[in-house]
Amino acid sequence: MNNENLTNINKTESKKILQSYITGFILSIILTLVPYILVMDHLLTPLVLVGVILVFAFVQLAVQLLFFLHIRQESKPRLNLVIFLLFFGTILVVVVASVWIMQHLNYNMSLVQFNNVMNYGEGF
Amino acid sequence: MIHHQNHQEAITNDKTIFGFWVYLMTDLLMFGVLFATYSVLHGNIFNGPSGKEIFDLPFALTETIILLTSSFTAGLAIWALRNNNKNQVLLWFGITFLLGLSFLVLELTEFHKLVLEGDSWRRSAFLSSYFSLVSTHGLHITAGLFWMLISLIKVKSQGITPGLARKLTLLSLFWHFLDIVWIFIFTVVYLMGAI
Amino acid sequence: MEQFILGRLTWSSLPHEWFTLGGTVAFATILIGLTIFLTRVKRWKWLWNEWLTSTDPKKIGIMYIIIAFLMFLRGGLDVVMIWLQQTIGTTSSPGYLGATHGYLSADHFQQIFTAHGDIMVFFVTMGFLFGLINLIVPLQIGARDLAFPFLNSLGFWLYFAGVVLINMFFVLGGEFAAAGWLAVAPLSELQFNPGVGVDYWIWSLQVSGLGTLIGGINFVVTILKMRAPGMSLMRMPMFTWASLMGMILVISIFPILAMTMILLTLDRYLGMHFFTLDNGGNAMMYWNLIWMWGHPEVYVLIIPVFGIYSEIVSTFAQKKIFGYTSLVVAVGAITLLSFSVWLHHFFTMGAGADVNAFFGIMTMWIAIPTGVQIINWLFTMFRGKIIFKSPIYWFFGFVSTFTFGGMAGLLMALPPVDFQVHNSLFLVAHFHTMIVGGALFGIFAGFTYWFPKVFGFKLHERIGKYAFWTWLVGFFLSFVPLYILGMMGAVRRMDTYSPSLGWQQLFTVSLIGACVIMCAVGLQILQLVVSIIQRKQNRDLTGDPWNGRSLEWATASPPPFYNFAVIPQVHSRDAFWEMKNPKGISSSEVAKQKKTSIKYEDIELPKNTPMGIYLSGFIFLFGLAMVWHAWLFAIIGLVGAICCVILRTFDEHTEYVLTAAEVEQIEKKLRAKS
């Protein structure tokens, strides 16, 4: 993002921007349709399917960051990128750690575990 | 004098766009918490339906394609802005507005159907997290549509001033960001719900 | 219809207990007194134009500190009530007032310690720090203002709205939240707390939290984008670095708090089931989410304070800070690591050994960069020539208390130990040591250090030293008994303890400590009063009373509203020190440079605006109406707020120009004074 000039760019820049949006759009459509078809037609086993569609989602995230949000065109220092990575990392921690922690909590605090502790001497 | 003004504009653009980007990141984190909550609670269907039973995948795909296209047309609107083309700005943001509105209407009909069936947000933790995640996105879309409407009115009346160019840039960032969030809603909620 | 307008507010909700009414009367007296005073001296317009609508971070900073101080007194009063209750209240023998349970009911006791926690964390410590950063950071980086002056004003007024909301209980009654400072679910759900208490908690923190987030974004953008030319990141003063890290932490965590509170709100208002006991809700998720915010929050409270200490140690040891790079890395490491430890707040909730072990180890890691900082400060003092003035006293107080409490924290990082002392008074003593001995002492240090810069005259030194020693003695008297009691098994948040345990003496020692602290606060107030009376003798005429090293000391005391007539060019760290002692240039050259005329330029400054007040007013109305379910006013508040936002976006003339000639005049007057 060249922040200085928001309204008056030359012809080559204009062409580049237009190409960027069109490429991004086409790629995103593909990255949306492929996982959709994979899920609708059950083309893979469930666990693999989950992993694959997540990968497609992250790839589309990268595509949109690059082609719609022009994150590579940022001039140094790449503050937008750094801040994005910081928050992306935070969100990963929030989601992944929550799932990990809650899985353990749910199991340990469940009736199944209660039964295991009481009758089979299993620890936490 | 003009050089000084341009310099001032450049500084204002730089810090405002960066500041807005930082705000978008905090908004993304709010969605992150909703995603974490959904991931943890989506299995708690209590006595109600699960995702598989209530999600209509072709319907969700339609919504997704509409929103994705609107993100593309928003990009075209910015391309027009960069070329200082007032009429094309109005055209492309207008199309974006209509596509966004259609998305919202589709989403509301989906909610309406669920509530009529008795599967509202009060039924289970799963439904609570589903409704809150998708509605938060929908509320953001609504805010974006309002913003778009007011911006288009300003463009029509004053033309493209430097301040307005900056604010339209912010609007496009907001709109792209909403489509990015929807990619993950589509994947995590609808696609994974159907597996 | 009445329900739509007034919600669940009825005549019987209004304050009617003796201590609630005490608060009502106190607030009413202050307000009436203030109104009479302002009318007498005819200062209403002045107040509105010069202060309330100001976008100047120096003015906003002072307003933050004044409100934070008032809330400090309120929170302190809550403490005294807690201490009294725990000393007097006994479960089996008649208490002081004849009641067996002390003078407070259990429910009221819970409301008081809840209010105490929220007020001290959100409205006192955060308020002080936001005020200090507003006052000092723009000066330190050679800027004139923050990146977004209007948002700065808005952020303050949202904070103020939160302050009023949390005290509204004294006006409209009802009850305050009785679920602890973090309103733990499912206790905070409708099933157990259907009244307005938890709703007061939610809305006051949401409103002020919005202000905090806005302020955090503002500070981050300011520090990253508005530094003076030549000031690279590695040339920034340590307080600026610490503020940057603290504010990055703020923007990374307040969205989590906001969303978690929204989820609780959805449960309470729309019947959802995130944290309820039925329909699949999972209350443990609440604790997980809220501590994801809560732990980094305490680092938000301490990281800027580490920056304050860096400045003070360097200035009063008359040496440049030792190991600048390692300090920056350490602060960064603490910021990052603070995201990885939150589970140590609920080791006992049952996540199991694997999870507990991971978080226990991560908690211990954080001690390392903290230790690096302390070592750097000690090495700064080594071979320095220490000037013993009150700011450095507070630093020494911090070192003695914080390391002590920090080691208690390290102990609790071990899950097996934590299982013994979780939610005991040992924990209470630990975190109070961190916040009082760490953050509060740091705030006092910073206040004493920068007071001359902000107000133009020095504080009375001797009373300041007395206040420090009284605080230190009071602190140890108050909290060492709590460490011991916690180790012996005393649980926190209990309104009475059986006298058969033999703990009353320790509680009494703690109460004496509380009284000593009250005297210390009294001394601080005395110091302020005496200093104001004697201000003419103690004027700071040079702008540099401590022989400082960073750019804020390059301005007059207090600085002109535009901070710098000419934005300085920075060549190194300790920019001001370098300006005073330039290398390779003789002193006659320096004198000559000073005499040559400075070229003044026009300065663009933001106008004052009342929009922050109006917008916050509508949001306050919305929050209050939501507490009482008064839907009509909620709609008015929401619609009004949206209209304010839209109106503001139509405002094209938000700045004005100060001509070079005007700047020159002001500068001439300032030079004539010194």
Side-chain angles (χ1 to χ4, degrees):
Chain A
M1 264 160 286
N2 183 2
N3 293 329
E4 264 89 77
N5 203 350
L6 291 180
T7 51
N8 276 305
I9 52 173
N10 58 46
K11 274 230 143 121
T12 33
E13 277 177 30
S14 171
K15 210 164 169 233
K16 263 204 249 167
I17 293 179
L18 183 61
Q19 272 175 348
S20 174
Y21 284 122
I22 294 177
T23 319
F25 182 52
I26 295 175
L27 282 177
S28 298
I29 294 267
I30 298 172
L31 291 169
T32 306
L33 288 175
V34 171
Y36 173 78
I37 294 170
L38 286 176
V39 169
M40 281 297 274
D41 297 339
H42 310 292
L43 290 177
L44 295 166
T45 53
L47 202 55
V48 177
L49 205 45
V50 168
V52 166
I53 62 174
L54 268 176
V55 168
F56 270 91
F58 281 112
V59 172
Q60 199 184 142
L61 166 67
V63 162
Q64 294 215 5
L65 275 172
L66 283 167
F67 291 97
F68 285 179
L69 291 170
H70 314 297
I71 200 153
R72 265 183 81 196
Q73 264 89 312
E74 199 188 354
S75 45
K76 281 222 178 143
R78 298 189 196 273
L79 288 173
N80 287 30
L81 180 63
V82 170
I83 297 267
F84 172 74
L85 288 172
L86 178 72
F87 274 85
F88 183 70
T90 308
I91 294 172
L92 270 180
V93 169
V94 168
V95 177
V96 173
S98 292
V99 171
W100 182 51
I101 292 170
M102 294 309 293
Q103 250 179 14
H104 279 252
L105 279 170
N106 285 337
Y107 176 71
N108 285 334
M109 297 293 114
S110 68
L111 287 175
V112 173
Q113 174 64 340
F114 179 72
N115 187 38
N116 288 342
V117 169
M118 289 288 123
N119 295 327
Y120 303 110
E122 186 180 307
F124 276 103
Chain B
M1 188 61 189
I2 294 182
H3 174 77
H4 175 78
Q5 255 189 326
N6 279 345
H7 184 62
Q8 280 301 105
E9 279 298 329
I11 292 178
T12 311
N13 286 347
D14 191 36
K15 70 176 183 185
T16 312
I17 293 176
F18 178 62
F20 191 75
W21 178 264
V22 176
Y23 149 71
L24 281 179
M25 294 297 106
T26 64
D27 214 346
L28 200 64
L29 182 55
M30 296 235 312
F31 277 105
V33 174
L34 282 166
F35 274 107
T37 308
Y38 182 83
S39 305
V40 167
L41 293 177
H42 75 272
N44 295 23
I45 58 178
F46 197 54
N47 285 324
S50 70
K52 230 185 183 130
E53 293 159 45
I54 57 172
F55 295 151
D56 180 349
L57 233 52
F59 193 78
L61 182 70
T62 316
E63 289 176 310
T64 309
I65 300 293
I66 290 178
L67 198 65
L68 179 55
T69 312
S70 78
S71 193
F72 174 57
T73 53
L76 292 178
I78 293 301
W79 172 67
L81 176 72
R82 299 273 180 270
N83 282 314
N84 216 0
N85 188 331
K86 172 176 159 180
N87 288 326
Q88 290 238 315
V89 169
L90 286 169
L91 171 71
W92 290 115
F93 265 128
I95 296 179
T96 309
F97 180 86
L98 290 171
L99 288 170
L101 195 60
S102 325
F103 172 86
L104 210 57
V105 167
L106 285 177
E107 193 162 273
L108 283 170
T109 50
E110 188 190 356
F111 285 175
H112 185 69
K113 186 173 74 98
L114 283 172
V115 172
L116 281 184
E117 281 172 7
D119 298 325
S120 78
W121 49 84
R122 297 163 177 267
R123 185 106 191 255
S124 65
F126 158 66
L127 284 166
S128 296
S129 34
Y130 166 73
F131 271 100
S132 53
L133 174 56
V134 181
S135 306
T136 305
H137 181 264
L139 277 170
H140 278 77
I141 295 276
T142 312
L145 290 176
F146 266 113
W147 187 358
M148 222 176 280
L149 204 56
I150 295 176
S151 303
L152 290 177
I153 293 172
K154 284 188 191 172
V155 171
K156 196 106 216 298
S157 58
Q158 336 169 330
I160 300 173
T161 61
L164 200 50
R166 181 169 55 243
K167 289 183 185 158
L168 288 172
T169 308
L170 298 184
L171 174 58
S172 77
L173 289 181
F174 187 69
W175 201 256
H176 290 314
F177 152 83
L178 284 179
D179 188 48
I180 288 178
V181 175
W182 183 260
I183 299 170
F184 285 93
I185 295 182
F186 180 61
T187 307
V188 172
V189 174
Y190 293 100
L191 287 185
M192 285 203 209
I195 292 179
Chain C
M1 192 59 195
E2 196 181 286
Q3 274 255 300
F4 184 63
I5 299 174
L6 287 176
R8 41 191 179 165
L9 181 63
T10 59
W11 287 114
S12 58
S13 325
L14 293 178
H16 47 266
E17 263 107 9
W18 61 268
F19 34 80
T20 318
L21 282 170
T24 316
V25 168
F27 275 114
T29 318
I30 294 174
L31 271 170
I32 294 174
L34 206 59
T35 312
I36 296 176
F37 174 70
L38 282 170
T39 318
R40 272 278 186 84
V41 298
K42 292 204 175 75
R43 291 280 204 161
W44 282 106
K45 243 191 157 192
W46 169 84
L47 188 68
W48 181 259
N49 289 330
E50 288 297 315
W51 285 91
L52 302 184
T53 57
S54 172
T55 52
D56 183 351
K58 298 184 288 299
K59 297 244 168 89
I60 293 177
I62 292 175
M63 290 197 286
Y64 263 115
I65 291 180
I66 292 175
I67 303 295
F69 178 68
L70 288 173
M71 291 305 273
F72 177 61
L73 294 178
R74 153 100 211 255
L77 202 63
D78 289 331
V79 175
V80 173
M81 291 179 82
I82 293 173
W83 253 307
L84 266 176
Q85 166 64 26
Q86 286 183 326
T87 318
I88 295 171
T90 57
T91 42
S92 44
S93 58
Y96 175 64
L97 292 174
T100 38
H101 289 274
Y103 70 103
L104 288 172
S105 71
D107 184 53
H108 276 115
F109 181 71
Q110 286 160 14
Q111 291 178 37
I112 290 174
F113 68 64
T114 304
H116 164 71
D118 287 314
I119 287 174
M120 288 306 202
V121 171
F122 287 99
F123 299 110
V124 178
T125 320
M126 297 282 284
F128 263 124
L129 287 177
F130 270 59
L132 216 51
I133 297 177
N134 253 309
L135 282 167
I136 303 300
V137 167
L139 289 170
Q140 281 201 338
I141 61 174
R144 294 219 162 89
D145 205 323
L146 293 196
F148 308 113
F150 167 66
L151 290 180
N152 196 14
S153 167
L154 178 62
F156 169 74
W157 285 108
L158 284 171
Y159 161 78
F160 184 74
V163 165
V164 178
L165 268 171
I166 209 173
N167 286 304
M168 265 326 256
F169 155 70
F170 287 106
V171 177
L172 290 180
E175 58 184 4
F176 189 65
W181 79 286
L182 287 179
V184 61
L187 182 58
S188 48
E189 291 281 348
L190 280 178
Q191 188 177 3
F192 302 104
N193 259 300
V196 293
V198 176
D199 298 311
Y200 269 127
W201 179 87
I202 288 175
W203 292 106
S204 69
L205 292 187
Q206 282 286 32
V207 171
S208 78
L210 182 62
T212 307
L213 190 58
I214 291 175
I217 297 177
N218 213 346
F219 289 133
V220 169
V221 177
T222 305
I223 295 175
L224 289 177
K225 292 279 183 186
M226 299 188 57
R227 281 164 281 132
M231 186 179 279
S232 64
L233 285 173
M234 292 306 273
R235 286 182 183 166
M236 297 197 306
M238 277 316 297
F239 180 61
T240 303
W241 261 117
S243 302
L244 176 65
M245 288 292 142
M247 291 304 116
I248 288 179
L249 210 46
V250 161
I251 62 178
S252 313
I253 63 170
F254 269 80
I256 302 176
L257 176 69
M259 187 43 84
T260 310
M261 289 199 288
I262 289 177
L263 296 178
L264 182 63
T265 310
L266 289 173
D267 274 0
R268 290 177 65 87
Y269 284 75
L270 288 179
M272 297 210 193
H273 292 286
F274 293 103
F275 314 119
T276 52
L277 286 180
D278 56 352
N279 286 53
N282 194 332
M284 296 190 290
M285 184 59 174
Y286 179 86
W287 222 217
N288 177 45
L289 286 175
I290 209 94
W291 279 116
M292 255 191 250
W293 165 84
H295 189 82
E297 164 69 5
V298 308
Y299 284 94
V300 171
L301 300 180
I302 201 71
I303 288 175
V305 166
F306 285 158
I308 299 177
Y309 290 131
S310 294
E311 301 282 347
I312 288 177
V313 168
S314 166
T315 303
F316 288 89
Q318 302 185 79
K319 261 178 81 196
K320 73 171 198 249
I321 196 83
F322 181 89
Y324 179 93
T325 311
S326 63
L327 270 174
V328 171
V329 171
V331 166
I334 295 176
T335 307
L336 276 175
L337 280 173
S338 65
F339 277 108
S340 63
V341 302
W342 76 90
L343 194 126
H344 68 229
H345 296 271
F346 49 96
F347 277 140
T348 57
M349 198 154 78
D354 293 343
V355 178
N356 282 357
F358 171 76
F359 281 97
I361 294 172
M362 294 312 291
T363 309
M364 286 188 267
W365 274 98
I366 272 205
I368 297 179
T370 316
V372 165
Q373 298 218 301
I374 299 196
I375 290 175
N376 277 328
W377 293 325
L378 292 177
F379 269 109
T380 308
M381 289 193 290
F382 178 63
R383 293 242 177 105
K385 205 164 181 295
I386 302 180
I387 304 172
F388 282 91
K389 296 271 168 146
S390 24
I392 199 95
Y393 276 73
W394 289 110
F395 169 73
F396 289 130
F398 153 78
V399 172
S400 54
T401 52
F402 195 79
T403 42
F404 186 72
M407 281 189 264
L410 268 178
L411 199 57
M412 286 190 291
L414 299 160
V417 177
D418 187 73
F419 268 67
Q420 302 298 315
V421 291
H422 175 68
N423 272 354
S424 68
L425 290 183
F426 187 82
L427 168 72
V428 172
H430 159 72
F431 67 68
H432 279 95
T433 311
M434 299 287 100
I435 301 187
V436 175
L440 198 61
F441 281 14
I443 286 169
F444 293 153
F447 184 71
T448 326
Y449 180 56
W450 278 305
F451 187 91
K453 173 55 57 188
V454 175
F455 290 105
F457 58 96
K458 282 167 114 161
L459 285 170
H460 193 285
E461 183 56 33
R462 206 159 24 101
I463 303 180
K465 288 193 173 116
Y466 294 158
F468 163 73
W469 285 114
T470 318
W471 253 109
L472 197 64
V473 168
F475 173 82
F476 278 110
L477 272 178
S478 306
F479 289 104
V480 169
L482 294 187
Y483 279 109
I484 302 171
L485 284 165
M487 271 293 170
M488 294 200 290
V491 176
R492 72 190 288 203
R493 292 176 173 163
M494 299 275 285
D495 59 337
T496 56
Y497 297 86
S498 171
S500 63
L501 291 162
W503 292 344
Q504 276 331 95
Q505 289 102 314
L506 281 171
F507 273 114
T508 314
V509 172
S510 194
L511 180 66
I512 294 173
C515 296
V516 174
I517 291 181
M518 274 201 289
C519 295
V521 176
L523 280 171
Q524 287 177 307
I525 297 176
L526 180 68
Q527 181 193 34
L528 204 56
V529 170
V530 169
S531 308
I532 293 175
I533 293 174
Q534 296 185 341
R535 65 185 182 278
K536 294 220 168 64
Q537 292 110 290
N538 292 327
R539 272 215 193 287
D540 171 33
L541 297 169
T542 61
D544 185 18
W546 312 113
N547 200 13
R549 310 175 81 90
S550 37
L551 278 179
E552 75 267 30
W553 305 109
T555 60
S557 293
F561 55 93
Y562 46 78
N563 290 355
F564 300 93
V566 178
I567 300 286
Q569 182 77 25
V570 171
H571 304 290
S572 70
R573 273 172 218 162
D574 289 345
F576 183 51
W577 191 259
E578 194 249 351
M579 279 162 67
K580 286 192 289 189
N581 310 295
K583 293 200 182 83
I585 309 180
S586 67
S587 51
S588 55
E589 269 282 335
V590 173
K592 227 203 296 181
Q593 274 180 11
K594 279 203 179 142
K595 284 246 178 73
T596 51
S597 56
I598 309 163
K599 193 169 182 303
Y600 295 112
E601 284 184 355
D602 288 349
I603 300 178
E604 253 172 49
L605 290 166
K607 282 191 197 164
N608 284 3
T609 170
M611 196 49 97
I613 302 176
Y614 300 149
L615 184 48
S616 301
F618 278 113
I619 294 179
F620 165 78
L621 182 64
F622 174 72
L624 186 61
M626 290 298 278
V627 170
W628 287 100
H629 294 188
W631 309 125
L632 174 66
F633 286 107
I635 295 172
I636 294 175
L638 193 58
V639 171
I642 294 175
C643 289
C644 281
V645 172
I646 297 176
L647 264 173
R648 173 74 193 179
T649 65
F650 276 92
D651 193 350
E652 301 284 327
H653 306 289
T654 54
E655 291 187 333
Y656 72 99
V657 173
L658 191 68
T659 59
E662 289 172 304
V663 176
E664 187 165 1
Q665 268 197 331
I666 301 174
E667 288 291 300
K668 277 212 178 97
K669 267 197 230 149
L670 281 171
R671 253 186 282 271
K673 259 200 259 177
S674 60

